[in-house]
């Protein structure tokens, strides 16, 4: 059922597009809605936080319901919340819509892999996942350029409206390709409790950093609230597979590295649109084109990194990628006042090369060390580490920038922290 495989790829395409295209629109959203930068960051974080909180529980819920019903429900809700985001008249409305988008986005990310692997014969499963991993990341690659074009031509709202026709195509494929299954049911109480604990812990960290930027350093103490929440989650039975996984020899390293590098990427993708539009005074469409080399080179190198890792060793290639992207961050850090957009573009291309070399080998390293009965768990745990980094990056970047009075020196300090 290859149309279903294509639909799974489109699901990831939508979710990835909404993660990257909005970054380019943040200055326009800040201006049109009359809000502050410390509030604007929640347009990004409001989408990422549910992805983090629901990463682990969503898969367990999907095991208990019909796949066609889950697809139609979650895609319809994602499209409706996208329309709600486009209709927003103030920052609060937009952030709430983004939170709802993120909640259903978490289900879509978990559902895509299930659909792709069950749609075809096991002998064709590799090709099916190849389609998903090619079509899906195109959303992230096209996001900055497409977002810049839409902001400049018809308005940032169309970044969200674009999800509606894609959702219609996905639902049509699902209705014709997936047989009717079990009825939808509410998640178990443990599902909601786990999501509440994980989400509250992340909110405590992000909110502490956000309030620190606008109300003073005393608010950083709010970060301590995350500790008892994480300890309570650790005592839950649902955390047992994750605890077992992390205790495996050599398993913590790939997770910590993924978290750190996703955080660094969050720094770069949050700060550079503001740098281009506020310091260099380039248009939103030019901003998107300037940012485009990063995802393009990351995708290009990602296609060959796995093959190189098989020959030279996954750890060696992953470490090489980490070293390369750290060097690229040091090249980005000066952020010259007289730079042309091209001066940033080639540095972002090098950053994408490092990311491309790191991602696939790091995942291969983690999967090779995981017990066979925990392969599903490691898929969820690595997704959680990645999304957590993408949420922490903008929050830490805003904090560093705000301490400097939103000066260029604060942007440079933020990129320096990303390299660290």
């Amino acid at each position: 059922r290859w149309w279903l495989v294509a639909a799974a790829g489109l699901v990831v395409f939508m979710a990835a597009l909404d993660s990257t295209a909005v970054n380019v629109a943040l200055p326009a959203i800040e201006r049109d809605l009359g809000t502050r930068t410390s509030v604007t960051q929640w347009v990004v974080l409001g989408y990422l936080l549910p992805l983090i909180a629901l990463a682990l529980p969503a898969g367990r819920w999907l095991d208990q319901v019909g796949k066609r019903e889950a697809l139609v429900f979650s895609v319809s809700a994602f499209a409706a919340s996208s329309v709600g985001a486009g209709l927003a008249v103030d920052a609060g409305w937009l952030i709430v819509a983004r939170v709802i988008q993120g909640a259903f986005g978490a289900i879509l990310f978990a559902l895509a892999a299930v659909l792709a692997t069950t749609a075809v014969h096991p002998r064709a499963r590799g090709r099916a996942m190849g389609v998903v991993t090619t079509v899906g990341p195109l959303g992230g690659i096209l996001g900055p350029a497409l977002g810049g074009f839409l902001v400049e031509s018809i308005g940032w709202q169309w970044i969200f409206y674009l999800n509606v026709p894609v959702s219609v195509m996905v639902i049509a494929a699902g209705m014709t390709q997936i047989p009717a299954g079990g009825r939808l049911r509410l998640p178990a109480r443990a599902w909601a409790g786990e999501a509440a604990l994980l989400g509250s812990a992340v909110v405590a960290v992000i909110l502490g950093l956000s309030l620190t930027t606008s109300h003073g350093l005393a608010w950083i103490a709010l970060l301590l609230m995350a500790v008892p929440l994480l300890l309570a989650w650790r005592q839950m039975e649902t955390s047992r597979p994750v605890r077992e996984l992390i205790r495996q020899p050599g398993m913590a390293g790939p997770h910590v590295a993924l978290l750190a590098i996703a955080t660094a990427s969050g720094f770069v993708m949050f700060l550079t649109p503001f740098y281009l539009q506020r310091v260099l005074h380039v248009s939103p469409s030019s901003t998107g084109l300037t940012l485009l080399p990063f995802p393009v080179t990351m995708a290009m190198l990602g296609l060959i990194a796995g093959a190189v890792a098989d020959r030279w060793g996954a750890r060696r290639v992953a470490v090489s990628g980490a070293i390369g992207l750290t060097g690229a961050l040091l090249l980005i850090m000066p952020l010259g006042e007289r730079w042309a957009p091209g001066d940033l573009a080639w540095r972002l291309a090098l950053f994408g090369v490092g990311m491309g070399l790191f991602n696939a080998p790091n995942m291969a390293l983690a999967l090779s060390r995981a017990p066979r009965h925990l392969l599903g768990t490691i898929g969820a745990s690595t997704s959680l580490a990645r999304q957590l980094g993408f949420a922490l990056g903008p929050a830490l970047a805003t904090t560093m920038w705000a301490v400097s009075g939103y000066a260029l020196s604060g942007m440079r300090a933020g990129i320096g922290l990303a390299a660290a």
Side-chain angles (χ1 to χ4, degrees):
R1 294 172 288 170
W2 288 101
W3 284 111
L4 183 57
V5 175
L10 285 175
V11 161
V12 182
F13 178 92
M14 277 197 307
L17 181 71
D18 273 37
S19 295
T20 59
V22 172
N23 286 303
V24 179
L26 291 179
I29 291 172
E30 182 179 312
R31 181 187 65 249
D32 291 351
L33 299 185
T35 188
R36 302 186 305 275
T37 302
S38 58
V39 176
T40 304
Q41 68 169 323
W42 284 92
V43 176
V44 177
L45 298 177
Y47 182 73
L48 290 174
L49 288 176
L51 292 180
I52 296 167
L54 299 176
L56 298 175
R60 287 194 294 274
W61 179 72
L62 287 170
D63 287 337
Q64 303 170 4
V65 299
K67 301 303 179 288
R68 184 168 80 174
E69 291 76 11
L71 177 69
V72 173
F73 170 66
S74 55
V75 172
S76 299
F78 188 87
S81 59
S82 297
V83 173
L87 296 174
V89 296
D90 57 46
W93 180 338
L94 179 57
I95 291 169
V96 169
R98 289 286 282 169
V99 169
I100 298 172
Q101 260 194 314
F104 288 100
I107 299 174
L108 295 181
F109 270 123
L111 184 58
V114 175
L115 295 179
T117 54
T118 58
V120 297
H121 192 279
R123 288 177 298 185
R125 197 165 288 167
R127 280 175 283 161
M129 292 306 298
V131 171
V132 175
T133 56
T134 299
V135 175
L138 283 176
I141 293 172
L142 296 176
L146 182 59
F149 171 76
L150 292 174
V151 169
E152 196 167 88
S153 56
I154 54 179
W156 56 264
Q157 294 87 347
W158 283 90
I159 293 174
F160 303 113
Y161 295 153
L162 190 64
N163 290 328
V164 175
V166 178
S167 296
V168 170
M169 289 189 289
V170 171
I171 291 172
M175 292 293 290
T176 58
Q177 298 285 305
I178 308 175
R183 307 172 87 186
L184 289 177
R185 64 181 71 178
L186 290 175
R189 290 183 179 180
W191 186 93
E194 182 180 21
L197 287 174
L198 291 173
S200 298
V202 175
V203 167
V205 174
I206 304 300
L207 191 60
L209 293 171
S210 178
L211 291 175
T212 297
T213 65
S214 54
H215 293 84
L217 288 174
W219 283 96
I220 206 165
L222 196 60
L223 273 66
L224 298 176
M225 289 184 59
V227 176
L229 293 169
L230 291 174
L231 290 176
W233 169 78
R234 190 178 183 279
Q235 298 303 314
M236 296 181 69
E237 176 61 24
T238 52
S239 72
R240 183 188 56 78
V242 179
R243 288 185 278 113
E244 181 183 350
L245 178 71
I246 297 300
R247 283 198 296 264
Q248 298 295 316
M251 190 56 67
H255 283 78
V256 173
L258 180 59
L259 171 63
I261 286 177
T263 303
S265 179
F267 267 90
V268 172
M269 297 312 293
F270 180 81
L271 287 174
T272 49
F274 285 101
Y275 164 73
L276 288 165
Q277 295 183 45
R278 289 189 176 182
V279 179
L280 302 187
H281 306 292
V282 303
S283 66
S285 60
S286 295
T287 297
L289 290 174
T290 304
L291 299 179
L292 191 58
F294 164 54
V296 167
T297 54
M298 181 175 65
M300 291 172 59
L301 267 295
L303 292 173
I304 64 173
V308 176
D310 288 339
R311 177 180 289 271
W312 288 354
R315 183 177 182 275
R316 184 180 299 177
V317 178
V319 170
S320 299
I323 292 171
L325 66 88
T326 304
L329 286 170
L330 294 174
L331 291 172
I332 294 169
M333 189 169 63
L335 290 175
E337 293 183 68
R338 298 183 182 276
W339 278 6
D343 294 320
L344 179 61
W346 70 262
R347 290 169 167 86
L348 289 174
L350 292 178
F351 184 60
V353 168
M355 286 287 288
L357 288 175
F358 170 82
N359 283 331
N362 187 69
M363 280 298 297
L365 193 65
L367 288 167
S368 68
R369 295 173 175 176
R372 193 168 191 82
H373 68 283
L374 292 177
L375 289 179
T377 300
I378 196 172
S381 63
T382 51
S383 175
L384 179 62
R386 185 181 297 106
Q387 301 300 341
L388 182 58
F390 289 153
L392 283 174
L396 290 170
T398 304
T399 302
M400 297 292 293
W401 193 17
V403 167
S404 71
Y406 296 103
L408 180 58
S409 60
M411 291 185 178
R412 291 166 175 158
I415 300 298
L417 182 59

